[in-house]
Amino acid sequence: GIIQYGEIVLCDKGDALIIRQEDVYQAPEYGKVTFLVAEGDIVNSEDPLAILYKSNYKEELVYQLYNVQEKIMSYQQENILKDVIDKDLQKVQEDIFQTIVSIETAVRDGQMEGLDRKEKGLLSLFDKQQKVLDKKITPDHYLEQLYKDETKLNKQLEEWKIEIVAPKAGLVSFSLDGMEDLLGPKAVNYLTIEDFNNFYGNGDFQKDDHEAKAHQPFFRIIEPGKWYGACLIENSQIMYKDGQEVEVSFIGPHETTLQGKVHSIKDEKQASLVMLEFSEEVESFINIRDAKVDIKIKYQGLMVPANAIVKQRQETGIKIIQNDSSKFIKVNVIATDHEYAIIEKEGD
């Protein structure tokens, strides 16, 4: 009567290091930065990520450019458009005026966020205006010179701007902790317990919201999908096997429970390093390096009280009473919570 079919749940607590498949990219120049995408956004290859304004970027050129553009607009209104009545033209000119005021205010206050978007919007408005005017007017010498000045200033400003684009598809992050190379895909197979103890607690993600430094790490692209958690479990009898499914609860600051798979196990005297593989929610962990985890695994099968497991002649088994006599049966212990054990008959 001691053998029954049942289930036990084992739970181990430990510390975890998050390992992602990610590539770090450097800034090509030193300068101010305007971000075009948000932290954790999914991007495709060649998508614009940020605008870098070189350190010798001359903000006064922005004033010169918009001064010329205002002159163009004013001259057209005073000398050419007296007899032109066009509601579409009036609307686009109002939009141009409002956009110029917005850009000048942003430059004056040093608010670079969104400046590139405003500039692109202004260029689009000028193109729209020009198409209307081309149908109605022929520019004179003065206006042609203003157009030339505008083109020259635009070219100068473009030389001081660098558009940073995504080198490949993935999740983008401008926060880095300096451990991306140490805890990349290679660490999955080569990380040791000593490495773990050296790295744990040193992940501190930093993001400079205003500047980029030449040839220094600037952003990273994280591959969606597969990622890993290296879990250090101390003073525990590890019974996991490679490929086994486990339930992993991450304890703060991002609390969630995921299904993982045992990738590998490294045992030492006082601790075990369990490498777990995950295939979902990497976007929730892109700026997390350290975590506390609870690992649960269920075992089902023939179950006996743990104290029914005995040793006889260096072999593990249970004793069964048959016909008033005791019979020793060799078994393998699959798992035990010290109250019950899941077993299988040796040789089956």
Side-chain angles (χ1 to χ4, degrees):
I2 65 169
I3 301 177
Q4 59 183 312
Y5 188 87
E7 175 184 274
I8 64 173
V9 178
L10 300 185
C11 181
D12 289 304
K13 297 180 181 294
D15 297 327
L17 282 172
I18 307 303
I19 298 173
R20 291 171 290 268
Q21 300 185 75
E22 55 193 354
D23 292 307
V24 176
Y25 300 92
Q26 297 181 345
E29 295 276 353
Y30 176 89
K32 294 182 179 179
V33 176
T34 296
F35 298 103
L36 305 179
V37 294
E39 188 81 3
D41 275 359
I42 297 176
V43 297
N44 294 314
S45 179
E46 300 302 316
D47 278 358
L49 303 180
I51 299 295
L52 191 154
Y53 298 87
K54 296 181 184 179
S55 57
N56 59 350
Y57 180 75
K58 295 183 179 179
E59 293 181 354
E60 62 267 22
L61 285 181
V62 176
Y63 292 109
Q64 292 179 30
L65 173 63
Y66 298 128
N67 183 46
V68 168
Q69 291 170 335
E70 284 179 332
K71 285 181 179 179
I72 291 172
M73 186 168 62
S74 176
Y75 184 79
Q76 289 172 334
Q77 289 173 335
E78 292 175 7
N79 297 279
I80 299 173
L81 304 179
K82 292 177 181 178
D83 300 324
V84 174
I85 300 175
D86 192 306
K87 290 183 180 180
D88 289 337
L89 186 60
Q90 290 176 344
K91 176 66 169 64
V92 76
Q93 287 177 335
E94 289 174 3
D95 291 342
I96 287 172
F97 177 76
Q98 294 298 329
T99 305
I100 288 174
V101 171
S102 175
I103 290 173
E104 288 182 338
T105 302
V107 172
R108 182 193 64 212
D109 297 340
Q111 300 295 323
M112 309 301 282
E113 190 74 27
L115 184 59
D116 185 69
R117 177 177 51 80
K118 292 178 182 178
E119 289 178 346
K120 287 181 178 178
L122 183 59
L123 291 175
S124 177
L125 288 170
F126 277 124
D127 287 340
K128 185 176 181 180
Q129 175 186 254
Q130 196 60 50
K131 287 177 182 177
V132 175
L133 293 176
D134 286 345
K135 295 177 182 179
K136 301 179 180 294
I137 63 173
T138 302
D140 59 16
H141 176 73
Y142 176 73
L143 192 58
E144 285 180 346
Q145 185 58 49
L146 287 176
Y147 285 153
K148 288 179 181 179
D149 292 343
E150 180 188 32
T151 301
K152 182 180 178 181
L153 287 166
N154 265 322
K155 185 176 180 181
Q156 285 181 276
L157 286 170
E158 285 300 318
E159 290 175 354
W160 276 305
K161 292 196 303 184
I162 299 175
E163 185 178 63
I164 307 298
V165 300
K168 67 176 187 178
L171 299 162
V172 64
S173 172
F174 295 93
S175 301
L176 301 106
D177 68 351
M179 301 181 72
E180 289 80 12
D181 289 338
L182 293 171
L183 292 173
K186 289 183 179 179
V188 173
N189 295 319
Y190 296 106
L191 187 74
T192 66
I193 291 179
E194 182 180 1
D195 294 333
F196 184 101
N197 289 325
N198 288 333
F199 296 153
Y200 190 83
N202 291 324
D204 183 19
F205 285 92
Q206 300 288 333
K207 175 186 177 182
D208 194 322
D209 290 324
H210 305 292
E211 293 182 330
K213 296 178 175 60
H215 311 303
Q216 295 296 312
F218 180 41
F219 70 96
R220 57 197 166 107
I221 299 292
I222 302 106
E223 293 187 19
K226 190 185 296 183
W227 57 285
Y228 299 88
C231 306
L232 185 65
I233 302 172
E234 298 182 349
N235 302 319
S236 181
Q237 184 180 3
I238 297 298
M239 294 187 172
Y240 308 146
K241 293 181 180 179
D242 291 358
Q244 206 164 26
E245 298 287 336
V246 294
E247 181 182 282
V248 184
S249 296
F250 291 85
I251 313 301
H254 180 77
E255 293 193 4
T256 189
T257 298
L258 301 176
Q259 295 299 312
K261 182 171 68 174
V262 177
H263 178 273
S264 61
I265 304 166
K266 292 180 181 177
D267 289 317
E268 293 189 8
K269 290 182 179 179
Q270 300 299 320
S272 296
L273 186 64
V274 181
M275 190 67 66
L276 300 178
E277 178 183 313
F278 300 95
S279 59
E280 57 181 345
E281 286 198 39
V282 66
E283 65 277 5
S284 301
F285 290 84
I286 61 171
N287 289 335
I288 295 175
R289 183 65 73 188
D290 306 335
K292 301 287 186 182
V293 294
D294 286 346
I295 306 171
K296 291 182 180 179
I297 186 166
K298 296 178 181 179
Y299 292 90
Q300 294 177 330
L302 296 177
M303 185 172 73
V304 298
N307 58 13
I309 305 294
V310 296
K311 287 280 189 180
Q312 183 173 301
R313 298 174 183 174
Q314 305 301 316
E315 293 180 322
T316 301
I318 60 174
K319 288 185 177 182
I320 296 178
I321 305 298
Q322 288 183 338
N323 301 322
D324 296 328
S325 64
S326 175
K327 182 181 180 181
F328 180 79
I329 299 176
K330 292 189 291 184
V331 299
N332 294 319
V333 177
I334 305 302
T336 179
D337 61 1
H338 304 297
E339 184 177 359
Y340 291 96
I342 299 294
I343 62 169
E344 65 178 6
K345 187 177 178 182
E346 191 173 296
D348 282 0

